[in-house]
Amino acid sequence: MRKTALSPAHRRDLAQKMVVEGICSGRAACRILRVARSTYWYRGRPLSAAEEQLRKRLRELSEQHPRYGYRRIAALLRQQGWRVGKRQVQRLRRAEGLRVPPTKRKVQRRGVSTGWPVRATHRGHVWTWDFIADATVRGGALKMLTILDEYTRECHVLRADRALRAAEVLCWLERAIVEHGAPEHLRSDNGPEFIANAVQRWLREHQIKTIYIDPGSPWQNGFVESFHGRFRDECLNREQLWTLTEARVVVEDYRQEYNQRRPHRKLGYRSPMRFAFEQSPSPSSVGLRPPYDGDGQNQPPMATSTPPSD
């Protein structure tokens, strides 16, 4: 038999089905399925008028509150004067075929990593990008894109806007690459802007390997999370940003201060720019296109012929 008989009611239904299909007699079906003959021949009494009204009200409440389970439906019935228990309501709901539809878990879309999780060993080895959110004093949303070099800790992009779509994110990445050269790997979470087909296709065409962290695991992108903590503590929590234009000026000033003058403990209390200069005093152009004047942030870059001052 295809199904396993569990409850007496289920076994009785199977026995009756065997008799209707002419497989065997009722007595033989009871013996095979171990059903008492009294159970096999039992016929329930017809429902009373009160029970019919209870079932009708039960169906009405279940249709009105489709996400309520039998416990809440029983509580509503008792509030309306019905003398019922939760198990009785559960049995009646099962008999009526009423149940709370299971919640479908949304399958989170994930990017396809094309490189192994690596630790940056030189400048341009691994970049990381992410967003940080804030708001103006008037309640306007601010979404800021950060692009960071994990080895030198240089912040190549810190762009504030109301919203940033995949095409705009890709545009800022191109500007950073033109100025600083293309990274070998790019680490990010599975945000829709980072896993967009256009972004993944562009990175694949330019041979930039992607490293997508596991969902709900921000510690796997610790460099940018650490930068965001410092950025919020040293800038966002201290400033009152009234407009988007003001926000852009403030965050760009902080980016320049962070890159050129702020001592970084992990870099021996040197600024990211000084550390980068000492690592490669005469960097060669490795960008996708020849570099041009400007760093993509409407600010002139510092000269690299001499090390920047602390």
Side-chain angles (χ1 to χ4, degrees):
M1 304 181 70
R2 294 185 179 179
K3 294 185 179 179
T4 302
L6 300 176
S7 65
H10 191 186
R11 293 200 300 270
R12 182 185 62 186
D13 293 340
L14 290 177
Q16 292 174 349
K17 184 177 180 181
M18 292 172 64
V19 173
V20 171
E21 294 179 355
I23 298 176
C24 60
S25 64
R27 187 187 299 248
C30 291
R31 184 176 65 253
I32 295 171
L33 296 175
R34 298 181 181 180
V35 179
R37 294 179 63 189
S38 60
T39 301
Y40 176 79
W41 293 108
Y42 175 78
R43 298 295 180 268
R45 63 177 176 80
L47 298 176
S48 64
E51 290 174 332
E52 287 285 359
Q53 293 178 0
L54 175 60
R55 289 197 174 210
K56 179 180 178 181
R57 186 55 184 156
L58 177 66
R59 288 192 296 269
E60 291 174 352
L61 289 175
S62 298
E63 292 175 0
Q64 185 178 356
H65 305 284
R67 300 301 304 176
Y68 281 12
Y70 69 91
R71 292 184 178 88
R72 285 189 173 85
I73 295 296
L76 292 178
L77 289 172
R78 286 193 293 269
Q79 291 173 8
Q80 297 176 6
W82 294 92
R83 299 182 63 181
V84 294
K86 62 180 183 180
R87 296 303 176 190
Q88 180 185 2
V89 173
Q90 184 184 31
R91 176 175 55 82
L92 293 176
R93 279 171 58 88
R94 286 178 177 175
E96 294 289 334
L98 300 171
R99 62 189 295 267
V100 178
T103 303
K104 294 183 178 179
R105 294 189 61 183
K106 183 178 180 181
V107 179
Q108 185 176 7
R109 185 183 170 201
R110 298 181 59 178
V112 179
S113 297
T114 57
W116 293 99
V118 295
R119 185 177 182 86
T121 58
H122 53 270
R123 186 180 189 182
H125 187 193
V126 182
W127 284 8
T128 176
W129 56 351
D130 200 1
F131 289 109
I132 182 172
D134 205 64
T136 61
V137 176
R138 297 169 181 169
L142 289 176
K143 189 173 185 179
M144 286 161 273
L145 171 67
T146 304
I147 300 180
L148 199 74
D149 188 310
E150 290 190 359
Y151 183 72
T152 64
R153 310 302 204 275
E154 290 176 287
C155 180
H156 296 323
V157 173
L158 189 58
R159 174 66 177 183
D161 215 322
R162 297 298 186 188
L164 286 164
R165 290 176 286 273
E168 297 167 319
V169 167
L170 191 57
C171 178
W172 285 104
L173 176 63
E174 288 187 72
R175 295 188 184 189
I177 289 176
V178 167
E179 174 63 22
H180 303 283
E184 299 175 28
H185 299 79
L186 193 59
R187 194 190 314 272
S188 71
D189 58 21
N190 292 273
E193 299 85 0
F194 304 136
I195 65 175
N197 292 330
V199 173
Q200 295 193 68
R201 183 170 55 252
W202 190 91
L203 294 174
R204 187 167 55 250
E205 291 174 354
H206 294 86
Q207 300 179 357
I208 300 176
K209 297 179 180 179
T210 55
I211 304 173
Y212 291 103
I213 66 174
D214 296 331
S217 305
W219 55 87
Q220 295 180 4
N221 202 7
F223 289 97
V224 74
E225 294 294 339
S226 176
F227 172 80
H228 284 167
R230 304 285 73 75
F231 174 45
R232 187 174 295 279
D233 181 57
E234 298 172 4
C235 180
L236 297 181
N237 291 346
R238 297 180 56 193
E239 300 287 347
Q240 286 190 336
L241 306 176
W242 289 88
T243 65
L244 175 61
T245 302
E246 181 183 5
R248 288 175 175 172
V249 172
V250 169
V251 300
E252 174 59 21
D253 287 345
Y254 178 81
R255 189 185 77 89
Q256 297 288 348
E257 172 74 20
Y258 175 87
N259 283 340
Q260 300 173 14
R261 287 176 289 276
R262 183 186 183 277
H264 199 294
R265 183 170 61 89
K266 292 294 184 180
L267 303 179
Y269 292 99
R270 291 168 291 181
S271 67
M273 267 194 171
R274 173 175 284 276
F275 177 77
F277 178 84
E278 293 176 357
Q279 294 297 311
S280 53
S282 300
S284 59
S285 176
V286 292
L288 302 178
R289 293 174 294 276
Y292 69 96
D293 292 336
D295 64 350
Q297 298 280 98
N298 298 324
Q299 294 283 345
M302 294 188 61
T304 57
S305 57
T306 58
S309 61
D310 277 330

